[in-house]
Amino acid sequence: MTGYFILLALVAAAGSLLWLLGNRGALLKLSLAALLLGSAGYTLQGRPNLFGAPAKPDTAAPGLSFARARHVFFGEFNASERWLLIADSFSARGKHAEAGGVLANAVKHYPGDLPLWIGFANALVEQGRGMTPPAQLAFARAEAIAPGHPATGFFRGLAQARSGEPQAAVNTWRKLLANAPADAGWRPLVEDAAAAFSAQPAPPRR
């Protein structure tokens, strides 16, 4: 029964997201149908939990948190933070659908806000316990707002790791590191994440 409610919440979030991205009418109905099928597969299959008790030891990254990582990329004081803090409070109590609802409302009001879209994508990942079609759409929107911004790649990597694809996550992070300046303030965070999932050394700093 819990999986059923998660599925409904995911499809509802997907509908809101598709509406925001401009899908209307028959296209919206077809997109929702596809997402319903895809989300059902994710709900039934399940995904390992990156934060908390993981299904597999090698999918956990102890010490990582969305809030701490978010502050590395965007700082602690910005216009998005009040929304994100409310969502954090819900997520901390396991109310991931409510967290997603808060951020779905936030991106509706501020459609060009990068931290909010990344937060929304993270909430959808939490809700689906891994990368889902709605989360992929949210990450795509974040990428469209600020192409190449390292925060989008970092959190997409976390979603990949949580979805049971640690090597894909490492590849995503290593690509970020390969193009990062040596003094980038976020670089140590990405290096630590890559090291947690791979025995290979990180690319040398330039």
Side-chain angles (χ1 to χ4, degrees):
M1 184 62 70
T2 299
Y4 176 75
F5 284 116
I6 291 174
L7 171 59
L8 289 180
L10 285 172
V11 174
S16 299
L17 182 55
L18 287 168
W19 182 269
L20 287 169
L21 293 177
N23 286 341
R24 300 292 189 273
L27 178 57
L28 177 61
K29 293 178 182 178
L30 287 173
S31 299
L32 283 176
L35 288 173
L36 177 61
L37 291 175
S39 297
Y42 278 95
T43 301
L44 292 174
Q45 182 179 355
R47 286 296 184 267
N49 192 341
L50 181 60
F51 306 118
K56 298 179 181 179
D58 62 353
T59 61
L64 285 177
S65 74
F66 288 141
R68 184 173 73 85
R70 182 174 76 235
H71 294 157
V72 170
F73 289 103
F74 300 112
E76 296 187 40
F77 305 102
N78 57 69
S80 313
E81 191 65 13
R82 63 189 182 92
W83 293 94
L84 294 164
L85 286 174
I86 294 171
D88 287 346
S89 70
F90 280 118
S91 291
R93 290 174 282 157
K95 296 183 177 182
H96 303 305
E98 288 85 347
V102 167
L103 292 172
N105 188 45
V107 297
K108 181 178 180 181
H109 285 86
Y110 304 99
D113 191 291
L114 176 63
L116 287 178
W117 276 102
I118 291 177
F120 186 32
N122 291 338
L124 292 171
V125 170
E126 283 281 278
Q127 206 171 319
R129 297 193 177 189
M131 186 74 84
T132 60
Q136 290 174 332
L137 286 171
F139 278 122
R141 177 60 178 168
E143 182 65 32
I145 290 171
H149 195 286
T152 305
F154 175 76
F155 285 107
R156 182 184 282 117
L158 286 184
Q160 291 169 327
R162 179 161 189 174
S163 301
E165 300 177 357
Q167 189 55 53
V170 171
N171 291 342
T172 296
W173 292 325
R174 289 175 66 83
K175 183 177 179 180
L176 283 178
L177 293 171
N179 298 308
D183 60 350
W186 49 265
R187 184 175 179 118
L189 178 67
V190 180
E191 289 176 338
D192 289 346
F197 290 93
S198 174
Q200 301 179 29
R205 298 188 181 189
R206 296 184 299 173

